[in-house]
Amino acid sequence: MKLAIIGGGSTYTPELVDGFARLRAELPLTELALVDPAADRLEAVGAVSRRIFAKQGHPGKVLTTDSVEEGADGADAVLFQLRVGGQAARNVDETLPLQYCCVGQETTGAGGLAKALRTVPVVLELADRVRKVAPEARIVDFTNPVGIVTRALLDAGHDAVGLCNVAIGFQRRFAAELGVAPERIQLDHVGLNHLTWERGVKLDGDEILPKIIEEHAAEIASGNQIPEEVIHHLGMIPSYYLRYYYMHDRVVEEERSAPSRASEVAAIEEKLLTMYRDPSVDEKPELLAKRGGAFYSEAAVQLLASLVGGKGDVQVVNVRNDGTLPFLDDDAVIEVSATVSGSGVEPLPQSTLPAALRGLIAHVSAYEELALDAAIHGGRDRVFGALLAHPLIGQIDLADKLADALIAANAQHLPWVEPK
């Protein structure tokens, strides 16, 4: 099996490579192609990836190239994990909205819209190039904002599914707390990417969420940075990203008094790249855990193995709604548990959601539709409209000011903005 990674020069990549090496029985790769235009990063990441494979006895070949066509040629699957504008653009996403008393975050709110505007056109262009040399390849999108990017790919006719590591993180956390193997845990995970709740947790088919909340709510609340009383009130577990909605003003104050996550990650990446260039380093460094993406490799291996090998197991993915949540358009992309096999991805049926979830999901899904329209077709009016529709913004004056600010800050990445 050949897998191509678009954005293979990411410092995340050795996490993936380590997973591919450890779990090669599930995903028997013969060739891994790392594709990235950043030659220095790609050389360092490619070199450490080969050493990781060699140390763990993996026979697969690691190819590095700046050519999408060379990397994707003949691939069975292609994984997208790119960041247009790098950490510098992310830093703007996280800091600019704070000037307007809005949350600064790379996937949520105004920062998330800016990232979508930069990213969607690039991903679509790359996916078209992939399709010319690997028309049957399955596309797995790990590029944020995952829901919007996955919908863009699906709307363009690509065979794509979105992946996030939030659900597998919950699964592994619950399994560790219970002292059981992770595969015995199945989640009733529902929502949109970075807007999800665990409204059910089954151990060997038996519902145990009430027990988890009763015995572990304080610990979960601390990890998710959401008050424990919210978990008890909901009777379910919101993901970390719900704090941007439930605690917006408090988060803004926290962000204003702390360094941006982008600046922290940039410093971590420099150290990681130095380690990757050391010829004695042949395993993923412990520092990589601070980069984020916990269990990313396990989630990717599981998904790729099922898409290519047809296992037919249940995983949490980003997929077309197609009536699964009846209050959303069929074309919306949702994040739910689904059966994954070689023939495709099928969301599991969902029981009726509480009104508190339906309202917020519908609101953000409408924003995502407008955000995608703005990313594809451009124009200030579309950017303004998406901001006005977002529940974290939603005011004319704010949307007006943020539209101009986001466009100005990202002009070099927006093909519809005329250079000055």
Side-chain angles (χ1 to χ4, degrees):
M1 173 186 174
K2 178 178 179 179
L3 170 66
I5 301 179
I6 310 297
S10 168
T11 54
Y12 266 137
T13 299
E15 166 70 28
L16 270 177
V17 172
D18 175 75
F20 295 154
R22 288 185 290 104
L23 305 171
R24 56 184 175 274
E26 293 184 46
L27 191 70
L29 291 180
T30 55
E31 183 174 356
L32 176 63
L34 307 181
V35 183
D36 204 294
D40 288 347
R41 293 173 65 102
L42 186 60
E43 181 181 1
V45 171
V48 74
S49 297
R50 293 187 186 98
R51 293 194 297 268
I52 291 172
F53 267 13
K55 181 175 182 179
Q56 298 195 37
H58 193 293
K61 173 185 176 184
V62 178
L63 167 72
T64 56
T65 178
D66 63 358
S67 168
V68 172
E69 289 74 15
E70 180 184 8
D73 187 22
D76 299 281
V78 179
L79 192 152
F80 281 77
Q81 58 166 31
L82 55 96
R83 182 182 295 279
V84 179
Q87 296 300 329
R90 176 180 179 174
N91 190 65
V92 175
D93 295 344
E94 294 176 343
T95 57
L96 187 151
L98 297 177
Q99 300 173 29
Y100 303 90
C101 300
C102 293
V103 158
Q105 214 277 328
E106 64 161 339
T107 63
T108 297
L113 175 60
K115 194 171 195 304
L117 295 175
R118 295 192 305 269
T119 304
V120 166
V122 174
V123 167
L124 291 179
E125 188 265 337
L126 292 170
D128 284 343
R129 291 168 64 183
V130 166
R131 183 156 54 186
K132 291 178 181 178
V133 296
E136 303 300 321
R138 319 297 290 267
I139 293 179
V140 173
D141 176 58
F142 196 70
T143 296
N144 282 320
V146 168
I148 295 173
V149 174
T150 301
R151 180 167 179 173
L153 288 164
L154 291 169
D155 286 355
H158 296 287
D159 183 356
V161 60
L163 178 65
C164 180
N165 68 327
V166 167
I168 195 172
F170 273 124
Q171 182 203 43
R172 299 305 170 93
R173 183 191 303 180
F174 298 151
E177 289 169 349
L178 297 169
V180 303
E183 55 269 20
R184 295 175 60 189
I185 300 289
Q186 182 172 322
L187 304 176
D188 183 0
H189 176 105
V190 66
L192 310 175
N193 180 243
H194 289 183
L195 189 84
T196 54
W197 296 259
E198 308 305 328
R199 60 172 183 162
V201 180
K202 290 184 177 180
L203 171 61
D204 298 332
D206 296 326
E207 183 60 63
I208 59 169
L209 179 60
K211 176 181 173 65
I212 288 176
I213 290 177
E214 179 183 354
E215 297 180 359
H216 301 283
E219 182 181 348
I220 293 169
S222 176
N224 287 7
Q225 298 182 42
I226 289 177
E228 181 181 351
E229 57 265 29
V230 174
I231 295 175
H232 290 292
H233 170 76
L234 293 171
M236 60 186 74
I237 300 173
S239 77
Y240 167 88
Y241 291 91
L242 265 300
R243 71 190 308 267
Y244 298 120
Y245 296 84
Y246 294 158
M247 305 164 61
H248 178 274
D249 292 355
R250 188 189 307 181
V251 172
V252 168
E253 290 305 310
E254 291 173 0
E255 290 181 336
R256 282 176 162 171
S257 62
S260 70
R261 175 62 178 161
S263 64
E264 294 174 348
V265 171
I268 292 170
E269 286 194 331
E270 285 301 313
K271 294 178 181 177
L272 285 171
L273 288 169
T274 298
M275 293 177 180
Y276 296 163
R277 294 184 180 103
D278 182 345
S280 69
V281 174
D282 55 9
E283 56 187 27
K284 66 175 184 179
E286 291 185 9
L287 179 63
L288 187 54
K290 296 183 179 180
R291 172 65 179 82
F295 306 115
Y296 171 33
S297 61
E298 283 85 351
V301 167
Q302 289 179 10
L303 180 55
L304 289 164
S306 295
L307 286 172
V308 176
K311 291 172 61 177
D313 56 347
V314 174
Q315 300 180 38
V316 173
V317 293
N318 285 260
V319 64
R320 282 282 196 214
N321 180 45
D322 284 338
T324 305
L325 301 180
F327 57 91
L328 297 183
D329 291 343
D330 286 349
D331 287 343
V333 166
I334 59 176
E335 187 171 293
V336 293
S337 298
T339 302
V340 183
S341 68
S343 59
V345 181
E346 186 69 29
L348 297 184
Q350 296 287 323
S351 58
T352 302
L353 269 65
L357 274 63
R358 292 198 308 271
L360 187 52
I361 291 171
H363 198 162
V364 176
S365 182
Y367 149 75
E368 290 189 347
E369 181 178 344
L370 294 169
L372 180 55
D373 184 51
I376 292 175
H377 298 108
R380 186 192 182 280
D381 284 351
R382 292 188 178 91
V383 174
F384 170 80
L387 290 165
L388 188 62
H390 201 295
L392 296 184
I393 301 161
Q395 300 179 58
I396 293 172
D397 289 345
L398 269 180
D400 195 54
K401 294 173 183 177
L402 278 166
D404 290 331
L406 293 186
I407 292 169
N410 293 278
Q412 62 177 314
H413 301 293
L414 307 179
W416 44 273
V417 176
E418 295 184 5
K420 294 183 180 179

